[in-house]
Amino acid sequence: MSEVVLVMKNIIEAFQNIQRNITNEILAVSRDPSDIKIVAVSKKFGPEKVIPLLEWGHSHFGENQIQEAESKWEPLKKKYPAVQLDLIGPLQSNKVKRAVALFDVIETIDRIKIAERISSEIISQGKNVNCYIQINTGDEEQKSGVMPEDADAFIDKCKQDLGLPIIGLMCIPPIKQDPTCHFNLLSSIAKKNSLKYLSMGMSQDFKFAIRAGATSVRIGTAIFGEREKPV
Ligand SMILES: *Cc1c(COP(=O)(O)O)cnc(C)c1O
């Protein structure tokens, strides 16, 4: 087999494998598999790793960096119009315009300034971008996200004052902690604010996230393999 064919086969097999594990977990907690989406996190991997999945029929991807996402996905989105791209990394205000132009979902709204810019870009570009608010469930100083105690007011401001299409919440639990209490916290904030969607769970902890009510899981390593460590 040629190397290209081998890469394709491996990635599709890895995807099917994780999809099977996810489906089993969903069924084990008596949920409906169609209620939980897999966002394939392709950051740090080139188009040659992504195209096999696109050809095979998966179209929901996540990226954490604007520049990288643009160079990879602008051409791919032309060729595969069904692609849905989620921004899952922090957003700087000088890149909001580009983010709104490229992404279909922004999962990481975490400050009013960003929320305001997104709101005005959505209007000026006339583009529908679904939005999530990132919650810093672990109260970690170095991590982005709205602090849990500020969440209700922040969500309210985004929805009422800025008219943003906020559909859900997203979190990244602190490493080396039991993720379940963080997922449960995210779920309770969402319920309280009548938000339907919960983006939580990655390659290592998706089982806990599904049990706690995730509606999308963000899976990178388990599909594409280990990323090279940033230098
Ligand atoms: C990289 C990343 C993921 C995917 O993590 P894996 O452990 O590779 O599955 C999920 N969510 C966010 C926000 C990420 O940055």
Side-chain angles (χ1 to χ4, degrees):
M1 241 183 303
S2 79
E3 196 166 337
V4 173
V5 174
L6 204 60
V7 167
M8 289 189 62
K9 195 164 167 287
N10 287 346
I11 287 177
I12 291 166
E13 278 178 7
F15 186 85
Q16 287 174 323
N17 190 37
I18 188 84
Q19 191 176 42
R20 206 161 31 236
N21 292 344
I22 287 170
T23 303
N24 287 341
E25 197 56 39
I26 297 171
L27 295 175
V29 292
S30 304
R31 296 185 59 198
D32 181 346
S34 68
D35 289 344
I36 300 170
K37 306 278 179 272
I38 301 176
V39 179
V41 177
S42 46
K43 67 184 184 199
K44 303 274 197 299
F45 290 101
E48 76 284 357
K49 294 284 174 87
V50 168
I51 289 169
L53 273 186
L54 289 165
E55 287 289 331
W56 180 72
H58 186 74
S59 54
H60 199 163
F61 291 82
E63 291 281 347
N64 71 337
Q65 222 255 339
I66 306 290
Q67 188 91 34
E68 180 190 344
E70 279 175 342
S71 61
K72 194 184 311 175
W73 286 99
E74 273 173 2
L76 287 175
K77 276 193 137 193
K78 291 201 182 87
K79 190 151 177 231
Y80 302 92
V83 162
Q84 184 176 343
L85 203 56
D86 286 29
L87 176 65
I88 60 168
L91 183 54
Q92 293 147 347
S93 50
N94 62 349
K95 291 187 180 153
V96 167
K97 187 180 190 144
R98 289 155 67 188
V100 168
L102 181 67
F103 287 91
D104 305 284
V105 179
I106 295 177
E107 295 201 13
T108 49
I109 297 178
D110 63 351
R111 348 191 253 294
I112 288 299
K113 188 178 173 194
I114 290 288
E116 286 169 348
R117 296 247 170 129
I118 293 173
S119 168
S120 58
E121 278 303 326
I122 285 178
I123 292 163
S124 72
Q125 296 185 30
K127 193 178 164 212
N128 184 29
V129 178
N130 281 326
C131 298
Y132 286 68
I133 291 166
Q134 181 174 356
I135 307 291
N136 189 347
T137 57
D139 281 308
E140 294 174 284
E141 273 205 1
Q142 78 287 6
K143 196 170 270 175
S144 18
V146 177
M147 291 300 176
E149 65 270 25
D150 301 329
D152 296 343
F154 187 88
I155 294 165
D156 202 54
K157 176 153 176 74
C158 287
K159 284 168 59 165
Q160 306 309 330
D161 298 356
L162 302 175
L164 276 175
I166 305 291
I167 64 166
L169 302 178
M170 176 271 208
C171 76
I172 308 168
I175 43 170
K176 297 189 180 136
Q177 275 189 30
D178 174 5
T180 295
C181 63
H182 298 278
F183 296 152
N184 286 340
L185 175 59
L186 197 71
S187 168
S188 73
I189 297 171
K191 274 209 189 79
K192 204 163 140 202
N193 290 280
S194 308
L195 295 171
K196 191 174 162 197
Y197 295 97
L198 290 171
S199 170
M200 55 190 199
M202 321 201 293
S203 296
Q204 293 304 321
D205 58 9
F206 68 85
K207 287 188 180 182
F208 306 105
I210 288 167
R211 285 178 214 161
T215 59
S216 60
V217 288
R218 309 178 306 265
I219 308 290
T221 314
I223 300 170
F224 298 106
E226 291 293 333
R227 292 175 290 273
E228 279 179 38
K229 299 257 180 326
V231 281

